[in-house]
Amino acid sequence: MKQLDRLGTGIGWRPEIAAAVERLPGLDWVEVVAENVCPGHLPDSIGRLRERGVTVVPHGVSLGLGGAERPDARRLADLAGRVEALGAPLVTEHIAFVRAGGALTASPGLEAGHLLPVPRTRDALDVLCENVRIAQDSLPVPLALENIAALISWPGEEMTEGRFLAELVERTGVRLLIDVANLHTNHVNRGEDPVKALDELPVEAIAYVHVAGGLERDGVWHDTHAHPVPRAVLDILAELRSRTDPPGVLLERDDDFPPEEELAAELETIRATVAAPVRRTPAAQARGPRGTGTDVAREADEAPGNGTVPEAVTVPEAATVSATATVSAPAPAPATAHESARPAVPPPAVPSPAAPSAPGQGPELPARQRLGLAQAALLSALVAGTPAPEGFDARRLRVQIRALAAKRADVVAKVAPELPEILGAGYRPAYLDYAKSRPMRDGYRRDALDFAEHLLVAGRPEDPVTRRRLTHWWQDRAAPRPPRRATRFVRAARAALVRG
């Protein structure tokens, strides 16, 4: 595998800290969220950084390469356009699914609004590898994929994370973006050993490394990207450095931004960790010298009890985990009369993602359809209030449900800041109530409009002045007026037919 050019030490560029990023000493490169930049209208700050020779790498969040559907050609073309506009040497995405349902499963299409884990099964790996090859053929530069932080574990998983990634690299030649904070998150929340994962990784495939902060509450690690990088994450970075010299290391910070001096100090700590004399840490020495990730995977195949994954640790119900925020939400309440008028989202009948049909027990579904049914059933339970699929930890799912709703509430408040301003303290509880059974259907801006329409149709807010302000906001962005009674009747009739 050809060695990529060195990137050095970088930081995630965000509009809130654009000026501070430009002043950071010794900054080699930045990463931008690909979906947040427009090729024809790049932020001035990005332009100035590029003029100074600072490399800019686009980091995508919406391809959903771990999903059952093939990658969307339009999304791939958009991502390629951003790569070319930024003059980037590579582009990165995630090993995750972000949507499910649709024609493949003959069920309603659903959006997660967040990154969800892929089952570590042969089916999922086969589909992921094909999707990666499609993406590689569509992108003008090398692609690297990131391991994600996850709260829930799929039942029937067949591989550890390290072995899954090693086989992905062996079959596709894709690069890896290793997030050491996510390894720590999965250690605390799912009982997975980060050192073992590093032992199994093909470290020569690493394009760069993410480092981020969070906090622990009630035994759960919250991957907030809004807190200082803890010692435990730096220790995993040192473990990785004892195996390879990564081409780049990047600090992620997405919220609650500290003073510029603190950002600079964190970057200096990361530099010092990577530049420290290379030594095998006690945990690595205990394992002895290791080969490549593929060699380690083969050794594991020959060991007794291969293929097992540590049992998930118990998580308190009140805890929540989100990529950008930690928020508790009230327990689900019975649906109101208005909510019952919304078309129900029936959970797809789902086979185990790890177990195809036995011989003589009916035709075996294609891998994409098996994976699609499993992902649609899970996502439907998470965002549409349908029953939990068999084999999942129900308490974990409830925590994940609250986390996804909190994530949606936070992002909608950012893309439509007028809503929390109009609704005041009532915004968050109203939105969380709305999100219990109303999946996002076409991105966050559409979700903001749907939320406002939901309130107005229900005769809310009760205060006439506030309702008038919300009506005007909605009219300016959606239509002359909210749906009339006849439209609402038709929607209720359709919902009744679906439920029937």
Side-chain angles (χ1 to χ4, degrees):
M1 181 175 286
K2 182 181 176 182
Q3 182 68 35
L4 291 173
D5 292 339
R6 290 201 65 80
L7 291 168
T9 305
I11 191 169
W13 184 92
R14 302 293 183 267
E16 298 89 338
I17 54 171
V21 167
E22 290 186 55
R23 292 190 294 265
L24 288 171
L27 185 69
D28 299 311
W29 66 292
V30 297
E31 179 190 79
V32 298
V33 177
E35 290 79 0
N36 290 350
V37 295
C38 179
H41 304 279
L42 295 178
D44 292 341
S45 172
I46 293 295
R48 288 190 292 270
L49 289 169
R50 292 187 64 210
E51 289 172 359
R52 285 169 37 192
V54 175
T55 299
V56 183
V57 174
H59 185 53
V61 297
S62 63
L63 277 186
L65 293 175
E69 296 281 357
R70 289 176 174 82
D72 180 76
R74 180 184 59 81
R75 292 180 188 275
L76 284 171
D78 288 346
L79 186 56
R82 287 163 170 79
V83 168
E84 292 171 346
L86 294 168
L90 78 160
V91 60
T92 61
E93 248 286 354
H94 298 83
I95 300 171
F97 78 100
V98 297
R99 61 188 65 87
L104 183 66
T105 59
S107 61
L110 299 171
E111 292 276 345
H114 194 46
L115 304 166
L116 293 175
V118 174
R120 298 171 196 155
T121 63
R122 290 292 165 190
D123 274 357
L125 182 59
D126 289 345
V127 171
L128 175 62
C129 287
E130 184 178 353
N131 287 350
V132 167
R133 294 188 197 101
I134 293 170
Q136 289 171 319
D137 289 343
S138 303
L139 296 169
V141 294
L143 171 67
L145 296 180
E146 179 182 353
N147 59 303
I148 72 165
L151 175 62
I152 55 178
S153 298
W154 283 85
E157 291 196 315
E158 300 166 339
M159 288 171 273
T160 61
E161 181 165 45
R163 291 175 62 194
F164 190 86
L165 295 178
E167 289 207 29
L168 173 65
V169 170
E170 185 176 27
R171 291 170 59 175
T172 66
V174 75
R175 311 287 179 149
L176 295 177
L177 161 50
I178 296 302
D179 190 315
V180 292
N182 290 347
L183 291 178
H184 175 67
T185 300
N186 292 343
H187 169 63
V188 176
N189 294 345
R190 295 176 21 151
E192 297 178 358
D193 183 358
V195 175
K196 180 180 180 182
L198 293 175
D199 279 343
E200 294 175 338
L201 284 178
V203 294
E204 70 280 0
I206 294 176
Y208 62 89
V209 177
H210 271 175
V211 182
L215 80 162
E216 187 172 350
R217 181 187 300 163
D218 298 327
V220 178
W221 186 259
H222 304 267
D223 183 39
T224 63
H225 292 194
H227 293 81
V229 178
R231 184 73 253 172
V233 171
L234 293 172
D235 287 344
I236 299 174
L237 177 61
E239 276 282 349
L240 186 150
R241 179 64 183 92
S242 73
R243 292 156 172 78
T244 188
D245 184 10
V249 182
L250 181 125
L251 171 65
E252 285 190 294
R253 188 76 180 226
D254 293 330
D255 209 347
D256 196 14
F257 298 102
E260 183 177 331
E261 296 75 18
E262 290 185 27
L263 288 175
E266 284 207 293
L267 282 174
E268 189 55 41
T269 300
I270 291 170
R271 285 192 192 94
T273 302
V274 174
V278 176
R279 62 181 180 83
R280 297 289 280 173
T281 63
Q285 291 172 355
R287 286 167 170 76
R290 308 297 290 177
T292 65
T294 304
D295 295 334
V296 174
R298 289 188 182 122
E299 291 173 21
D301 284 336
E302 298 167 0
N306 69 78
T308 59
V309 178
E311 183 178 351
V313 296
T314 301
V315 177
E317 281 188 45
T320 61
V321 176
S322 168
T324 59
T326 301
V327 184
S328 296
T336 65
H338 172 68
E339 288 171 336
S340 66
R342 185 177 180 88
V345 181
V350 54
S352 166
S357 303
Q361 295 185 2
E364 181 177 322
L365 295 173
R368 279 191 183 277
Q369 194 170 4
R370 288 196 298 270
L371 179 64
L373 287 168
Q375 291 180 339
L378 174 60
L379 188 51
S380 180
L382 292 176
V383 303
T386 59
E390 184 178 354
F392 283 92
D393 185 317
R395 285 181 294 178
R396 291 286 187 111
L397 288 181
R398 287 195 291 271
V399 173
Q400 183 70 79
I401 288 167
R402 291 194 293 269
L404 289 175
K407 167 77 172 181
R408 283 174 66 186
D410 289 340
V411 178
V412 165
K414 287 184 177 181
V415 302
E418 302 88 354
L419 289 178
E421 191 272 326
I422 292 170
L423 298 173
Y427 164 75
R428 193 167 196 86
Y431 186 90
L432 294 174
D433 182 65
Y434 155 84
K436 288 173 187 173
S437 60
R438 293 176 172 269
M440 185 167 61
R441 61 190 177 107
D442 191 22
Y444 285 108
R445 296 187 189 281
R446 179 75 254 176
D447 197 35
L449 291 171
D450 288 347
F451 168 58
E453 178 184 322
H454 160 76
L455 292 181
L456 293 171
V457 168
R460 298 163 58 198
E462 295 181 1
D463 175 59
V465 175
T466 304
R467 188 165 62 251
R468 190 179 310 115
R469 290 184 64 198
L470 184 62
T471 300
H472 291 162
W473 180 89
W474 186 87
Q475 288 174 337
D476 288 344
R477 292 157 179 81
R481 57 183 177 273
R484 291 185 173 182
R485 184 182 300 275
T487 303
R488 284 154 29 205
F489 176 78
V490 170
R491 288 181 179 175
R494 286 175 179 167
L497 289 174
V498 171
R499 290 195 299 274

